[in-house]
Amino acid sequence: MARSEPTCRTYGRSLQGVQVSASRRSGTTDELGPEEPERDGSDGQDLLAALLDGMDAALCAFDADGVVTHWNREAERILGWSADEAVGRRGLAGWAVRSADAEEVEGRLLSVMHAPGRQVHEFALLTKDGGRVLVRTQSAAVRGPDGKPAGVYCAFSEVHAQIDLERSIALSEALFEDASWGVVLVDVDLRPAVVNAHAARALGTGRTSVLGRPLGELLSQGVEELESALQHVLAEGAPPAPAEVWVSVRASEGEQRRCWRSGFLRLASPLAEEPVPLGVGWLFQDVTEAKHAEQEASLLRFRMQQLHRASRAAAECEDPAEAATVHLDFALAGFADHALIDRVAGGALTDAETEGPVRLVRVAATPSGAPGPSKLADRAGLPVRYAEGHPALQCVERMGALRASAGTATPEAARTWALARQWPPDAVHALCAVLRSRGRTLGVVTFLRGAGRSAFERSDAMYAEDVAVRIATALDLAGTPGGD
C-alpha cells in the first residue's frame, strides 16, 4: 500500500547533509526490494517532514546558493504557496517578495551564514493571491559536516501574531512582578503554584515558602469558602463577576481579618486537543478598609433612620414616659439585646449634687427572657441595689458614657459578672449613657449585649448618647417619674 507524500518538500542536498530526492516518492518497493539503509533514510525523511509540518511557526530554508530546500505547512498557510511550488526556487524574487525588495530581503536572510547566532528581521512577503503580509523572521546559519555554512533556516510568523505572543508574555511577567494586586496560580490540588510579590505580602509569607502549601496553613478562616470557589471554577469556569471573600490570615503578629475582592480564571492547556485544566488564576485586591467604611456608612444611615422613626413615633405618644420607651425600642434594633432606664431617686440632680451618693430607680426595661417591647416599671419607686462602683453610678458621677465588659471570661464567670450588677444573666457587654436635660442629670440608660455580639465601641457610645438625649427630654417632660 502506498504511503502519502509529506507536505514538506526538500530539494537536492538537505541542510542536514542527507541526500533527498525532489521528485515524488510513491513509497512502493521495487522488484528487488529496498536496501536496509535506504529504508532507514526514508523513515528519517518522513520523520523530518512530520516534525516540520507540525511546527506552529512557518519555516523555510535555503542552501548556500539561495535555493529553497524546505517549506512547511504553516508557511503554505500564511503565504498560500505550496511546498511543490516553493521548493527548488532560487531566491524569493517575483513570487514571495516583490522584485524591488528581493535583493535587500535575500541579502539580510543569507548574511546570517557568516554571522554568529540568530538574526531577527521584519519585512513584507507576498501571498499567492497578490496580498502582502508583514512577518517577523528569525534566521540562523546551518553548518555542514565540515563546519562550514551550508545554508540558512528561517522561521517566520505574522507580526501581529508575534506581537500578541509577546504581549501575553509581557503581561504574565508584569502580573507576577509589578502588579498592584495579588496574583496566585493555584494547581488542580488547590495549592499555590506561582505567587506574585503582592500576594505573598498579603498572605504574610515569602513567594517561595507559600508554594505547594495547603491554603489551610495560610488562612485560619475563610478557607472553605475560597476552596469552594476554586473548585467551582475548575468544574464550571470563571464566575461572571468578582467575589468578596472574608479571610483571616495567619501572620507573625497574629491573625488579621481581611476582605479580598477576588476574580477567578480557569487555566487550560493550549497544547491539548480538549481543554485540560491546569489550575485556576486567582486575582485579588484587599478592600478591607473600603468595606469597613462602607459598613460604617450603612450603619450610620440605619441609625439615623431609626432616630427619625423613633422621633415620629414618640411624637404620637400622650404619655412622655411611654415616649421614652419608644425611643429605647427603636434604638435596640441591631444595636443591643437588652436595655434599662434608671432615674435618679428624688428627682433630677444639678451638677453639684452628683458628687454625693446617688440612688437610681428603675423606670423601664426590656424583657430579659424573650424579645419584646420595653415595659414601664411599677410605681413603687424602690431604688435598684447597685453596689458601689457600679457602671451606672459611675456614669452619673462622670456625666458621660461608660463601657464595661466581662471580656474573655468563661460563660459561668460572665454570668456571675452580670448578676452581680443586677443585669440579665446573658449580658456580657454594657454601655451606660447619662440622661441629661436642661443642665441636670435625670438618670442613666444602659444597653447590654450578649456573648454573640462584639463589645461596644466609641461609635456605639456616640449613638447611645444621641438616644439618651431623646429619652431624657421625654422623662423631663413627664416630670418626676412615678408622680402625677
Side-chain angles (χ1 to χ4, degrees):
M1 182 176 180
R3 292 178 299 182
S4 60
E5 177 193 9
T7 304
C8 176
R9 290 291 306 279
T10 59
Y11 176 79
R13 183 177 178 82
S14 76
L15 298 183
Q16 287 73 24
V18 180
Q19 187 70 28
V20 181
S21 172
S23 62
R24 181 182 300 272
R25 293 184 287 107
S26 65
T28 58
T29 59
D30 54 22
E31 296 178 359
L32 299 178
E35 296 180 0
E36 191 67 22
E38 292 179 353
R39 182 166 64 250
D40 292 343
S42 175
D43 291 343
Q45 290 306 312
D46 287 343
L47 176 60
L48 174 62
L51 289 174
L52 295 179
D53 278 341
M55 294 177 60
D56 292 332
L59 184 136
C60 66
F62 306 86
D63 62 16
D65 297 324
V67 176
V68 178
T69 60
H70 294 72
W71 191 267
N72 74 347
R73 194 183 301 274
E74 184 66 10
E76 178 181 347
R77 186 193 68 79
I78 293 176
L79 298 180
W81 300 99
S82 66
D84 288 333
E85 295 169 315
V87 173
R89 290 179 181 261
R90 181 180 295 276
L92 302 173
W95 63 285
V97 176
R98 293 194 313 173
S99 299
D101 302 331
E103 182 177 355
E104 178 189 357
V105 171
E106 292 175 6
R108 291 163 66 183
L109 288 177
L110 298 179
S111 65
V112 75
M113 282 194 296
H114 308 287
R118 294 180 300 174
Q119 293 185 359
V120 179
H121 302 287
E122 289 186 8
F123 43 73
L125 297 181
L126 293 178
T127 62
K128 187 175 182 179
D129 59 8
R132 300 182 71 192
V133 178
L134 184 63
V135 299
R136 177 175 295 177
T137 67
Q138 293 188 38
S139 55
V142 177
R143 307 290 176 181
D146 56 0
K148 295 182 180 180
V152 174
Y153 81 82
C154 173
F156 64 91
S157 60
E158 297 175 80
V159 166
H160 71 83
Q162 183 71 19
I163 291 177
D164 288 344
L165 175 61
E166 292 180 1
R167 283 173 177 162
S168 297
I169 296 173
L171 175 61
S172 298
E173 293 181 350
L175 285 175
F176 286 105
E177 295 296 335
D178 305 321
S180 58
W181 55 87
V183 181
V184 181
L185 297 190
V186 182
D187 62 21
V188 292
D189 295 325
L190 306 186
R191 301 193 178 197
V194 185
V195 179
N196 75 341
H198 187 96
R201 289 193 298 270
L203 291 169
T205 185
R207 293 185 63 178
T208 55
S209 60
V210 70
L211 303 183
R213 296 172 59 185
L215 293 174
E217 293 184 5
L218 306 170
L219 306 173
S220 58
Q221 295 182 13
V223 178
E224 295 81 3
E225 182 179 1
L226 181 57
E227 290 184 341
S228 176
L230 294 172
Q231 289 172 345
H232 173 81
V233 174
L234 282 173
E236 304 292 338
E244 292 179 352
V245 182
W246 282 92
V247 299
S248 290
V249 181
R250 301 181 190 274
S252 56
E253 59 273 15
E255 293 187 359
Q256 297 181 349
R257 184 73 169 162
R258 312 303 297 172
C259 180
W260 291 341
R261 181 169 294 151
S262 304
F264 303 95
L265 298 170
R266 181 167 61 180
L267 305 179
S269 172
L271 303 179
E273 293 183 3
E274 297 182 359
V276 177
L278 294 179
V280 176
W282 171 31
L283 293 81
F284 66 89
Q285 280 186 315
D286 192 321
V287 295
T288 308
E289 301 304 325
K291 291 299 294 183
H292 284 164
E294 179 182 329
Q295 291 173 351
E296 290 176 1
S298 177
L299 181 60
L300 179 60
R301 287 194 301 270
F302 173 75
R303 289 178 175 177
M304 292 301 296
Q305 290 173 354
Q306 288 298 97
L307 290 175
H308 174 71
R309 292 168 181 165
S311 297
R312 291 177 60 88
E316 302 301 322
C317 297
E318 295 183 1
D319 183 359
E322 182 182 352
T325 62
V326 167
H327 284 290
L328 192 66
D329 291 335
F330 273 93
L332 277 178
F335 182 68
D337 298 316
H338 305 290
L340 313 169
I341 299 178
D342 298 325
R343 65 171 176 84
V344 175
L349 301 177
T350 62
D351 294 348
E353 293 173 333
T354 58
E355 297 179 359
V358 176
R359 293 184 305 165
L360 298 176
V361 177
R362 182 65 42 83
V363 174
T366 55
S368 59
S374 303
K375 296 181 179 180
L376 293 172
D378 56 42
R379 301 169 64 89
L382 298 176
V384 184
R385 294 180 295 104
Y386 286 153
E388 184 178 354
H390 191 281
L393 298 178
Q394 293 184 48
C395 179
V396 173
E397 295 173 1
R398 298 179 184 182
M399 291 185 294
L402 185 144
R403 288 172 284 169
S405 176
T408 58
T410 63
E412 187 60 32
R415 177 184 176 87
T416 302
W417 176 86
L419 293 176
R421 287 158 180 77
Q422 308 300 315
W423 290 333
D426 58 341
V428 176
H429 311 292
L431 172 59
C432 300
V434 65
L435 302 176
R436 297 274 296 175
S437 177
R438 294 189 295 166
R440 299 173 303 156
T441 299
L442 277 67
V444 178
V445 58
T446 302
F447 295 98
L448 302 169
R449 288 178 177 175
R453 293 176 178 265
S454 61
F456 288 101
E457 299 179 356
R458 177 56 187 164
S459 58
D460 297 323
M462 295 174 62
Y463 177 62
E465 290 174 341
D466 285 342
V467 176
V469 169
R470 289 163 168 77
I471 293 176
T473 302
L475 292 182
D476 195 12
L477 182 62
T480 302
D484 296 333

